[in-house]
mmCIF file of all heavy atoms in Angstrom:
data_model
loop_
_atom_site.group_PDB
_atom_site.id
_atom_site.type_symbol
_atom_site.label_atom_id
_atom_site.label_comp_id
_atom_site.label_asym_id
_atom_site.label_seq_id
_atom_site.Cartn_x
_atom_site.Cartn_y
_atom_site.Cartn_z
ATOM 1 N N PRO A 23 2.879 1.887 4.367
ATOM 2 C CA PRO A 23 2.021 0.938 5.021
ATOM 3 C C PRO A 23 2.832 -0.400 5.405
ATOM 4 O O PRO A 23 3.776 -0.697 4.726
ATOM 5 C CB PRO A 23 1.121 0.550 3.627
ATOM 6 C CG PRO A 23 2.012 1.006 2.462
ATOM 7 C CD PRO A 23 2.749 2.235 3.017
ATOM 8 N N LEU A 24 2.429 -0.818 6.469
ATOM 9 C CA LEU A 24 3.167 -1.971 7.114
ATOM 10 C C LEU A 24 2.237 -3.065 7.767
ATOM 11 O O LEU A 24 1.504 -2.717 8.613
ATOM 12 C CB LEU A 24 4.074 -1.516 8.354
ATOM 13 C CG LEU A 24 5.194 -0.469 7.892
ATOM 14 C CD1 LEU A 24 5.650 0.461 8.998
ATOM 15 C CD2 LEU A 24 6.318 -1.290 7.320
ATOM 16 N N THR A 25 2.238 -4.155 7.070
ATOM 17 C CA THR A 25 1.484 -5.352 7.708
ATOM 18 C C THR A 25 1.912 -5.753 8.979
ATOM 19 O O THR A 25 3.066 -6.182 9.060
ATOM 20 C CB THR A 25 1.351 -6.428 6.548
ATOM 21 O OG1 THR A 25 0.548 -5.954 5.504
ATOM 22 C CG2 THR A 25 0.659 -7.696 7.163
ATOM 23 N N ARG A 26 1.085 -5.847 9.981
ATOM 24 C CA ARG A 26 1.500 -6.127 11.339
ATOM 25 C C ARG A 26 0.788 -7.349 11.941
ATOM 26 O O ARG A 26 1.021 -7.714 13.008
ATOM 27 C CB ARG A 26 1.598 -4.895 12.224
ATOM 28 C CG ARG A 26 2.331 -3.747 11.739
ATOM 29 C CD ARG A 26 3.818 -4.010 11.440
ATOM 30 N NE ARG A 26 4.549 -4.644 12.485
ATOM 31 C CZ ARG A 26 5.166 -3.915 13.542
ATOM 32 N NH1 ARG A 26 5.150 -2.565 13.394
ATOM 33 N NH2 ARG A 26 5.832 -4.600 14.541
ATOM 34 N N ASN A 27 -0.374 -7.611 11.347
ATOM 35 C CA ASN A 27 -1.093 -8.896 11.807
ATOM 36 C C ASN A 27 -1.496 -8.834 13.209
ATOM 37 O O ASN A 27 -1.427 -9.861 13.993
ATOM 38 C CB ASN A 27 -0.356 -10.203 11.410
ATOM 39 C CG ASN A 27 0.079 -10.239 10.036
ATOM 40 O OD1 ASN A 27 0.993 -9.590 9.555
ATOM 41 N ND2 ASN A 27 -0.589 -11.056 9.190
ATOM 42 N N GLU A 54 -1.507 0.130 7.546
ATOM 43 C CA GLU A 54 -1.219 -1.208 6.989
ATOM 44 C C GLU A 54 -2.300 -1.574 5.994
ATOM 45 O O GLU A 54 -3.440 -0.962 5.967
ATOM 46 C CB GLU A 54 -1.331 -2.122 8.232
ATOM 47 C CG GLU A 54 -2.745 -2.222 8.792
ATOM 48 C CD GLU A 54 -2.650 -2.535 10.215
ATOM 49 O OE1 GLU A 54 -2.526 -3.850 10.487
ATOM 50 O OE2 GLU A 54 -2.652 -1.674 11.063
ATOM 51 N N ALA A 55 -1.949 -2.335 5.096
ATOM 52 C CA ALA A 55 -2.941 -2.801 4.048
ATOM 53 C C ALA A 55 -4.215 -3.288 4.743
ATOM 54 O O ALA A 55 -4.045 -4.057 5.722
ATOM 55 C CB ALA A 55 -2.275 -3.862 3.123
ATOM 56 N N THR A 56 -5.294 -2.868 4.165
ATOM 57 C CA THR A 56 -6.545 -3.175 4.895
ATOM 58 C C THR A 56 -7.616 -3.753 3.844
ATOM 59 O O THR A 56 -7.923 -3.100 2.881
ATOM 60 C CB THR A 56 -7.087 -1.906 5.523
ATOM 61 O OG1 THR A 56 -6.105 -1.552 6.572
ATOM 62 C CG2 THR A 56 -8.442 -1.972 6.152
ATOM 63 N N TYR A 65 -4.357 -12.782 4.714
ATOM 64 C CA TYR A 65 -3.395 -13.114 5.693
ATOM 65 C C TYR A 65 -4.219 -13.131 7.042
ATOM 66 O O TYR A 65 -5.137 -12.354 7.177
ATOM 67 C CB TYR A 65 -2.414 -11.975 5.837
ATOM 68 C CG TYR A 65 -1.448 -11.829 4.537
ATOM 69 C CD1 TYR A 65 -1.979 -11.222 3.522
ATOM 70 C CD2 TYR A 65 -0.187 -12.499 4.572
ATOM 71 C CE1 TYR A 65 -1.127 -11.064 2.416
ATOM 72 C CE2 TYR A 65 0.597 -12.419 3.410
ATOM 73 C CZ TYR A 65 0.225 -11.583 2.443
ATOM 74 O OH TYR A 65 0.948 -11.560 1.342
ATOM 75 N N VAL A 68 -5.314 -9.523 9.665
ATOM 76 C CA VAL A 68 -5.120 -8.119 9.121
ATOM 77 C C VAL A 68 -6.410 -7.506 9.229
ATOM 78 O O VAL A 68 -7.563 -8.107 9.128
ATOM 79 C CB VAL A 68 -4.576 -8.147 7.669
ATOM 80 C CG1 VAL A 68 -3.149 -8.770 7.655
ATOM 81 C CG2 VAL A 68 -5.542 -8.949 6.785
ATOM 82 N N GLN A 97 -4.852 2.182 3.636
ATOM 83 C CA GLN A 97 -4.556 1.473 2.400
ATOM 84 C C GLN A 97 -5.563 0.467 2.002
ATOM 85 O O GLN A 97 -5.812 -0.515 2.916
ATOM 86 C CB GLN A 97 -3.147 0.789 2.467
ATOM 87 C CG GLN A 97 -2.563 0.574 1.066
ATOM 88 C CD GLN A 97 -1.456 -0.313 1.002
ATOM 89 O OE1 GLN A 97 -1.350 -1.410 1.693
ATOM 90 N NE2 GLN A 97 -0.496 0.020 0.044
ATOM 91 N N TRP A 99 -7.114 -2.729 0.182
ATOM 92 C CA TRP A 99 -6.348 -3.944 -0.428
ATOM 93 C C TRP A 99 -7.330 -5.061 -0.660
ATOM 94 O O TRP A 99 -8.229 -5.379 -0.038
ATOM 95 C CB TRP A 99 -5.534 -4.358 0.809
ATOM 96 C CG TRP A 99 -4.436 -5.375 0.688
ATOM 97 C CD1 TRP A 99 -3.707 -5.739 -0.331
ATOM 98 C CD2 TRP A 99 -3.982 -6.221 1.693
ATOM 99 N NE1 TRP A 99 -2.777 -6.573 -0.110
ATOM 100 C CE2 TRP A 99 -2.995 -6.906 1.240
ATOM 101 C CE3 TRP A 99 -4.359 -6.443 3.111
ATOM 102 C CZ2 TRP A 99 -2.161 -7.883 2.036
ATOM 103 C CZ3 TRP A 99 -3.631 -7.364 3.871
ATOM 104 C CH2 TRP A 99 -2.615 -8.147 3.374
ATOM 105 N N VAL A 101 -6.256 -8.885 -1.954
ATOM 106 C CA VAL A 101 -5.058 -9.726 -2.180
ATOM 107 C C VAL A 101 -5.178 -10.561 -3.448
ATOM 108 O O VAL A 101 -4.158 -10.980 -3.956
ATOM 109 C CB VAL A 101 -4.820 -10.694 -1.080
ATOM 110 C CG1 VAL A 101 -4.468 -9.894 0.164
ATOM 111 C CG2 VAL A 101 -5.883 -11.586 -0.829
ATOM 112 N N VAL A 104 -3.334 -14.166 -3.698
ATOM 113 C CA VAL A 104 -2.358 -14.333 -2.565
ATOM 114 C C VAL A 104 -3.234 -14.539 -1.172
ATOM 115 O O VAL A 104 -3.320 -13.672 -0.328
ATOM 116 C CB VAL A 104 -1.442 -13.197 -2.377
ATOM 117 C CG1 VAL A 104 -0.461 -13.340 -1.297
ATOM 118 C CG2 VAL A 104 -0.857 -12.856 -3.652
ATOM 119 N N ARG A 127 3.880 -17.467 -0.294
ATOM 120 C CA ARG A 127 3.299 -17.960 0.973
ATOM 121 C C ARG A 127 2.436 -16.920 1.605
ATOM 122 O O ARG A 127 2.516 -15.776 1.334
ATOM 123 C CB ARG A 127 4.412 -18.399 1.897
ATOM 124 C CG ARG A 127 5.013 -19.658 1.534
ATOM 125 C CD ARG A 127 6.342 -19.961 2.383
ATOM 126 N NE ARG A 127 6.947 -21.159 1.863
ATOM 127 C CZ ARG A 127 6.628 -22.350 2.124
ATOM 128 N NH1 ARG A 127 5.672 -22.578 3.047
ATOM 129 N NH2 ARG A 127 7.116 -23.471 1.413
ATOM 130 N N THR A 128 1.539 -17.403 2.436
ATOM 131 C CA THR A 128 0.755 -16.414 3.189
ATOM 132 C C THR A 128 0.905 -16.935 4.707
ATOM 133 O O THR A 128 1.483 -17.996 4.962
ATOM 134 C CB THR A 128 -0.638 -16.253 2.855
ATOM 135 O OG1 THR A 128 -1.359 -15.308 3.647
ATOM 136 C CG2 THR A 128 -1.460 -17.533 2.855
ATOM 137 N N VAL A 129 0.240 -16.245 5.482
ATOM 138 C CA VAL A 129 0.287 -16.479 7.029
ATOM 139 C C VAL A 129 -1.049 -16.897 7.591
ATOM 140 O O VAL A 129 -1.909 -16.148 7.318
ATOM 141 C CB VAL A 129 0.894 -15.297 7.821
ATOM 142 C CG1 VAL A 129 1.125 -15.684 9.360
ATOM 143 C CG2 VAL A 129 2.192 -14.759 7.251
ATOM 144 N N PHE A 138 3.557 -20.099 8.234
ATOM 145 C CA PHE A 138 3.707 -19.738 6.734
ATOM 146 C C PHE A 138 3.296 -20.949 5.898
ATOM 147 O O PHE A 138 3.694 -22.010 6.110
ATOM 148 C CB PHE A 138 5.158 -19.280 6.417
ATOM 149 C CG PHE A 138 5.447 -18.042 6.922
ATOM 150 C CD1 PHE A 138 5.884 -17.836 8.433
ATOM 151 C CD2 PHE A 138 5.275 -16.740 6.294
ATOM 152 C CE1 PHE A 138 6.139 -16.640 8.920
ATOM 153 C CE2 PHE A 138 5.456 -15.560 6.858
ATOM 154 C CZ PHE A 138 5.919 -15.472 8.214
ATOM 155 N N HIS A 177 -3.954 0.149 -2.952
ATOM 156 C CA HIS A 177 -2.811 -0.707 -3.101
ATOM 157 C C HIS A 177 -2.821 -1.438 -4.361
ATOM 158 O O HIS A 177 -3.435 -2.439 -4.695
ATOM 159 C CB HIS A 177 -2.990 -1.926 -2.013
ATOM 160 C CG HIS A 177 -1.618 -2.550 -1.728
ATOM 161 N ND1 HIS A 177 -0.618 -2.596 -2.729
ATOM 162 C CD2 HIS A 177 -1.297 -3.325 -0.663
ATOM 163 C CE1 HIS A 177 0.389 -3.356 -2.053
ATOM 164 N NE2 HIS A 177 0.013 -3.837 -0.943
ATOM 165 N N ALA A 179 0.102 -2.440 -5.659
ATOM 166 C CA ALA A 179 1.515 -2.998 -5.777
ATOM 167 C C ALA A 179 1.551 -4.406 -5.326
ATOM 168 O O ALA A 179 0.589 -5.121 -5.022
ATOM 169 C CB ALA A 179 2.437 -2.124 -5.038
ATOM 170 N N ASN A 180 2.902 -4.950 -5.304
ATOM 171 C CA ASN A 180 3.303 -6.083 -4.635
ATOM 172 C C ASN A 180 2.609 -7.364 -4.953
ATOM 173 O O ASN A 180 2.380 -8.296 -4.147
ATOM 174 C CB ASN A 180 3.269 -5.874 -3.176
ATOM 175 C CG ASN A 180 4.331 -4.797 -2.780
ATOM 176 O OD1 ASN A 180 5.244 -4.427 -3.564
ATOM 177 N ND2 ASN A 180 4.192 -4.323 -1.427
ATOM 178 N N GLY A 181 2.098 -7.384 -6.181
ATOM 179 C CA GLY A 181 1.536 -8.671 -6.668
ATOM 180 C C GLY A 181 0.201 -9.111 -6.116
ATOM 181 O O GLY A 181 -0.259 -10.197 -6.127
ATOM 182 N N TYR A 182 -0.548 -8.079 -5.647
ATOM 183 C CA TYR A 182 -1.916 -8.204 -5.169
ATOM 184 C C TYR A 182 -2.855 -8.101 -6.448
ATOM 185 O O TYR A 182 -2.414 -7.950 -7.421
ATOM 186 C CB TYR A 182 -2.204 -7.480 -3.929
ATOM 187 C CG TYR A 182 -1.333 -7.858 -2.816
ATOM 188 C CD1 TYR A 182 -0.282 -7.000 -2.233
ATOM 189 C CD2 TYR A 182 -1.346 -9.138 -2.233
ATOM 190 C CE1 TYR A 182 0.549 -7.452 -1.388
ATOM 191 C CE2 TYR A 182 -0.680 -9.522 -1.266
ATOM 192 C CZ TYR A 182 0.362 -8.686 -0.867
ATOM 193 O OH TYR A 182 1.265 -9.169 0.310
ATOM 194 N N ARG A 229 -0.482 3.218 -4.695
ATOM 195 C CA ARG A 229 0.757 2.657 -4.584
ATOM 196 C C ARG A 229 1.098 1.710 -5.746
ATOM 197 O O ARG A 229 0.145 0.738 -5.998
ATOM 198 C CB ARG A 229 1.026 1.871 -3.446
ATOM 199 C CG ARG A 229 2.379 1.443 -2.783
ATOM 200 C CD ARG A 229 2.509 0.934 -1.617
ATOM 201 N NE ARG A 229 3.893 1.293 -0.870
ATOM 202 C CZ ARG A 229 4.501 0.374 -0.080
ATOM 203 N NH1 ARG A 229 4.009 -0.720 0.267
ATOM 204 N NH2 ARG A 229 5.636 0.776 0.336
ATOM 205 N N ALA A 236 7.641 -9.262 -6.059
ATOM 206 C CA ALA A 236 6.843 -9.739 -4.843
ATOM 207 C C ALA A 236 5.715 -10.511 -5.313
ATOM 208 O O ALA A 236 4.926 -10.091 -6.214
ATOM 209 C CB ALA A 236 6.523 -8.534 -3.990
ATOM 210 N N ASN A 237 5.374 -11.702 -4.486
ATOM 211 C CA ASN A 237 4.319 -12.427 -4.804
ATOM 212 C C ASN A 237 4.236 -13.078 -6.210
ATOM 213 O O ASN A 237 3.039 -13.157 -6.802
ATOM 214 C CB ASN A 237 2.958 -11.778 -4.294
ATOM 215 C CG ASN A 237 2.930 -11.490 -2.857
ATOM 216 O OD1 ASN A 237 3.120 -12.590 -2.046
ATOM 217 N ND2 ASN A 237 2.654 -10.379 -2.351
ATOM 218 N N ILE A 266 7.047 2.243 -5.406
ATOM 219 C CA ILE A 266 8.279 1.380 -4.772
ATOM 220 C C ILE A 266 9.205 1.097 -5.763
ATOM 221 O O ILE A 266 9.010 0.617 -6.913
ATOM 222 C CB ILE A 266 7.555 -0.060 -4.253
ATOM 223 C CG1 ILE A 266 6.595 0.197 -3.258
ATOM 224 C CG2 ILE A 266 8.757 -0.944 -3.713
ATOM 225 C CD1 ILE A 266 5.754 -1.127 -2.935
ATOM 226 N N THR A 270 10.544 -4.873 -3.818
ATOM 227 C CA THR A 270 9.892 -4.483 -2.535
ATOM 228 C C THR A 270 10.671 -5.039 -1.335
ATOM 229 O O THR A 270 10.923 -6.185 -1.206
ATOM 230 C CB THR A 270 8.551 -4.863 -2.235
ATOM 231 O OG1 THR A 270 7.838 -4.561 -3.532
ATOM 232 C CG2 THR A 270 7.824 -4.255 -1.049
ATOM 233 N N TYR A 354 5.350 -9.453 12.391
ATOM 234 C CA TYR A 354 4.001 -10.036 11.953
ATOM 235 C C TYR A 354 3.428 -10.831 13.181
ATOM 236 O O TYR A 354 3.900 -11.885 13.525
ATOM 237 C CB TYR A 354 4.208 -10.962 10.823
ATOM 238 C CG TYR A 354 4.839 -10.313 9.620
ATOM 239 C CD1 TYR A 354 6.147 -10.976 9.146
ATOM 240 C CD2 TYR A 354 4.403 -9.239 8.961
ATOM 241 C CE1 TYR A 354 6.763 -10.131 8.139
ATOM 242 C CE2 TYR A 354 5.026 -8.636 8.049
ATOM 243 C CZ TYR A 354 6.234 -9.016 7.524
ATOM 244 O OH TYR A 354 6.873 -8.463 6.502
HETATM 245 C C1 LIG B 401 4.340 -8.233 4.385
HETATM 246 C C2 LIG B 401 3.533 -9.258 4.817
HETATM 247 C C3 LIG B 401 2.314 -9.475 4.394
HETATM 248 C C4 LIG B 401 1.741 -8.465 3.510
HETATM 249 C C5 LIG B 401 2.661 -5.913 0.955
HETATM 250 C C6 LIG B 401 0.665 -5.993 2.193
HETATM 251 O O1 LIG B 401 3.662 -6.429 0.578
HETATM 252 C C7 LIG B 401 1.866 -6.436 2.133
HETATM 253 C C8 LIG B 401 2.417 -7.501 2.940
HETATM 254 C C9 LIG B 401 3.804 -7.244 3.490
HETATM 255 O O2 LIG B 401 2.186 -4.916 0.288
#
Side-chain angles (χ1 to χ4, degrees):
L24 296 158
T25 291
R26 305 302 307 273
N27 308 77
E54 64 207 277
T56 298
Y65 298 80
V68 297
Q97 197 193 41
W99 194 27
V101 297
V104 185
R127 287 171 186 274
T128 183
V129 184
F138 289 85
H177 194 343
N180 294 344
Y182 297 110
R229 195 177 210 209
N237 292 311
I266 300 172
T270 310
Y354 308 115

